Amino acid sequence: MVKHIILWTLRDDLSEEEKASVKAGIKQGLEGLAGKIPGLVSIRVQTDHLASSTTDLMLDSTFTDEAALQGYSRHPAHLEVANGKVRPYTKQRACLDFETEA
């Protein structure tokens, strides 16, 4: 199994209301990919966080293997969400991919 973790920080020019709407759209879009992409085992977007956090939201996803992760990155459904709901509203992205047994 391969874990794919992303942390995003939203753009500073977004109001709190806009940030809430963007987070909801990202969550709906990415979690909506479940069952649509080969090798995607699980996908969850965390939008709520404690005040001590230094980022706005997190993607926690699991794939059967690295090839499935690579396929996800190029899949049209993923690209539609990434280009329409994520990239226009984020200023920073951090990624950690790793192999895991479960």
PDB file of all heavy atoms in Angstrom, residues 9 24 32 42 62 66 74-75 79 81 84 92 100:
ATOM      1  N   THR A   9      -2.170  25.147   2.084  1.00  0.00           N
ATOM      2  CA  THR A   9      -2.484  26.433   2.691  1.00  0.00           C
ATOM      3  C   THR A   9      -3.216  27.246   1.637  1.00  0.00           C
ATOM      4  O   THR A   9      -2.761  27.352   0.498  1.00  0.00           O
ATOM      5  CB  THR A   9      -1.197  27.162   3.133  1.00  0.00           C
ATOM      6  OG1 THR A   9      -0.486  26.312   4.035  1.00  0.00           O
ATOM      7  CG2 THR A   9      -1.521  28.481   3.809  1.00  0.00           C
ATOM      8  N   ALA A  24     -14.914  23.165   1.507  1.00  0.00           N
ATOM      9  CA  ALA A  24     -16.039  22.249   1.249  1.00  0.00           C
ATOM     10  C   ALA A  24     -15.987  21.717  -0.176  1.00  0.00           C
ATOM     11  O   ALA A  24     -16.234  20.533  -0.416  1.00  0.00           O
ATOM     12  CB  ALA A  24     -17.362  22.966   1.518  1.00  0.00           C
ATOM     13  N   GLY A  32     -15.185  12.625  -3.653  1.00  0.00           N
ATOM     14  CA  GLY A  32     -16.048  12.121  -4.716  1.00  0.00           C
ATOM     15  C   GLY A  32     -15.325  11.236  -5.723  1.00  0.00           C
ATOM     16  O   GLY A  32     -15.956  10.595  -6.556  1.00  0.00           O
ATOM     17  N   SER A  42      -8.642   4.393  -0.395  1.00  0.00           N
ATOM     18  CA  SER A  42      -9.387   5.303   0.478  1.00  0.00           C
ATOM     19  C   SER A  42      -8.926   6.727   0.221  1.00  0.00           C
ATOM     20  O   SER A  42      -7.787   6.965  -0.189  1.00  0.00           O
ATOM     21  CB  SER A  42      -9.191   4.937   1.947  1.00  0.00           C
ATOM     22  OG  SER A  42      -7.850   5.166   2.349  1.00  0.00           O
ATOM     23  N   THR A  62      -4.970   6.511   0.246  1.00  0.00           N
ATOM     24  CA  THR A  62      -4.245   5.243   0.207  1.00  0.00           C
ATOM     25  C   THR A  62      -4.463   4.596  -1.154  1.00  0.00           C
ATOM     26  O   THR A  62      -5.596   4.562  -1.657  1.00  0.00           O
ATOM     27  CB  THR A  62      -4.737   4.291   1.316  1.00  0.00           C
ATOM     28  OG1 THR A  62      -4.657   4.965   2.578  1.00  0.00           O
ATOM     29  CG2 THR A  62      -3.907   3.022   1.368  1.00  0.00           C
ATOM     30  N   GLU A  66       2.461   2.094  -5.946  1.00  0.00           N
ATOM     31  CA  GLU A  66       2.962   3.344  -6.520  1.00  0.00           C
ATOM     32  C   GLU A  66       2.426   3.580  -7.932  1.00  0.00           C
ATOM     33  O   GLU A  66       2.162   4.722  -8.329  1.00  0.00           O
ATOM     34  CB  GLU A  66       4.490   3.354  -6.513  1.00  0.00           C
ATOM     35  CG  GLU A  66       5.075   4.709  -6.798  1.00  0.00           C
ATOM     36  CD  GLU A  66       6.576   4.776  -6.581  1.00  0.00           C
ATOM     37  OE1 GLU A  66       7.184   3.794  -6.113  1.00  0.00           O
ATOM     38  OE2 GLU A  66       7.142   5.834  -6.904  1.00  0.00           O
ATOM     39  N   ARG A  74      -2.593  11.364 -12.976  1.00  0.00           N
ATOM     40  CA  ARG A  74      -2.881  11.681 -14.385  1.00  0.00           C
ATOM     41  C   ARG A  74      -4.346  11.445 -14.768  1.00  0.00           C
ATOM     42  O   ARG A  74      -4.741  11.730 -15.900  1.00  0.00           O
ATOM     43  CB  ARG A  74      -1.993  10.825 -15.292  1.00  0.00           C
ATOM     44  CG  ARG A  74      -0.512  11.100 -15.155  1.00  0.00           C
ATOM     45  CD  ARG A  74       0.302  10.290 -16.152  1.00  0.00           C
ATOM     46  NE  ARG A  74       0.115   8.850 -16.014  1.00  0.00           N
ATOM     47  CZ  ARG A  74       0.873   8.047 -15.265  1.00  0.00           C
ATOM     48  NH1 ARG A  74       1.879   8.527 -14.593  1.00  0.00           N
ATOM     49  NH2 ARG A  74       0.633   6.753 -15.209  1.00  0.00           N
ATOM     50  N   HIS A  75      -5.122  10.914 -13.844  1.00  0.00           N
ATOM     51  CA  HIS A  75      -6.510  10.565 -14.161  1.00  0.00           C
ATOM     52  C   HIS A  75      -7.338  11.827 -14.422  1.00  0.00           C
ATOM     53  O   HIS A  75      -7.260  12.798 -13.654  1.00  0.00           O
ATOM     54  CB  HIS A  75      -7.120   9.767 -13.002  1.00  0.00           C
ATOM     55  CG  HIS A  75      -8.387   9.085 -13.355  1.00  0.00           C
ATOM     56  ND1 HIS A  75      -9.594   9.750 -13.430  1.00  0.00           N
ATOM     57  CD2 HIS A  75      -8.646   7.788 -13.667  1.00  0.00           C
ATOM     58  CE1 HIS A  75     -10.543   8.898 -13.756  1.00  0.00           C
ATOM     59  NE2 HIS A  75      -9.988   7.700 -13.911  1.00  0.00           N
ATOM     60  N   LEU A  79      -7.608  15.328 -12.232  1.00  0.00           N
ATOM     61  CA  LEU A  79      -7.139  16.592 -12.805  1.00  0.00           C
ATOM     62  C   LEU A  79      -8.246  17.644 -12.830  1.00  0.00           C
ATOM     63  O   LEU A  79      -7.986  18.833 -12.608  1.00  0.00           O
ATOM     64  CB  LEU A  79      -6.572  16.362 -14.199  1.00  0.00           C
ATOM     65  CG  LEU A  79      -5.274  15.546 -14.246  1.00  0.00           C
ATOM     66  CD1 LEU A  79      -4.895  15.251 -15.690  1.00  0.00           C
ATOM     67  CD2 LEU A  79      -4.157  16.262 -13.510  1.00  0.00           C
ATOM     68  N   VAL A  81     -10.664  18.001 -10.635  1.00  0.00           N
ATOM     69  CA  VAL A  81     -10.780  18.535  -9.271  1.00  0.00           C
ATOM     70  C   VAL A  81      -9.555  19.395  -8.936  1.00  0.00           C
ATOM     71  O   VAL A  81      -9.686  20.507  -8.419  1.00  0.00           O
ATOM     72  CB  VAL A  81     -10.936  17.393  -8.239  1.00  0.00           C
ATOM     73  CG1 VAL A  81     -10.908  17.941  -6.821  1.00  0.00           C
ATOM     74  CG2 VAL A  81     -12.220  16.617  -8.490  1.00  0.00           C
ATOM     75  N   GLY A  84      -9.668  22.641 -10.999  1.00  0.00           N
ATOM     76  CA  GLY A  84     -10.852  23.470 -10.809  1.00  0.00           C
ATOM     77  C   GLY A  84     -11.139  23.879  -9.386  1.00  0.00           C
ATOM     78  O   GLY A  84     -11.669  24.966  -9.137  1.00  0.00           O
ATOM     79  N   GLN A  92       0.205  27.152  -1.103  1.00  0.00           N
ATOM     80  CA  GLN A  92       1.292  26.272  -0.719  1.00  0.00           C
ATOM     81  C   GLN A  92       0.791  24.837  -0.638  1.00  0.00           C
ATOM     82  O   GLN A  92      -0.341  24.591  -0.207  1.00  0.00           O
ATOM     83  CB  GLN A  92       1.856  26.693   0.639  1.00  0.00           C
ATOM     84  CG  GLN A  92       3.095  25.958   1.044  1.00  0.00           C
ATOM     85  CD  GLN A  92       3.707  26.536   2.318  1.00  0.00           C
ATOM     86  OE1 GLN A  92       3.100  27.354   2.993  1.00  0.00           O
ATOM     87  NE2 GLN A  92       4.896  26.100   2.645  1.00  0.00           N
ATOM     88  N   THR A 100       3.385   1.614   3.038  1.00  0.00           N
ATOM     89  CA  THR A 100       2.906   1.167   4.343  1.00  0.00           C
ATOM     90  C   THR A 100       2.333  -0.236   4.199  1.00  0.00           C
ATOM     91  O   THR A 100       1.976  -0.659   3.099  1.00  0.00           O
ATOM     92  CB  THR A 100       1.868   2.137   4.922  1.00  0.00           C
ATOM     93  OG1 THR A 100       1.470   1.691   6.217  1.00  0.00           O
ATOM     94  CG2 THR A 100       0.654   2.246   4.030  1.00  0.00           C
TER      95      THR A 100
END
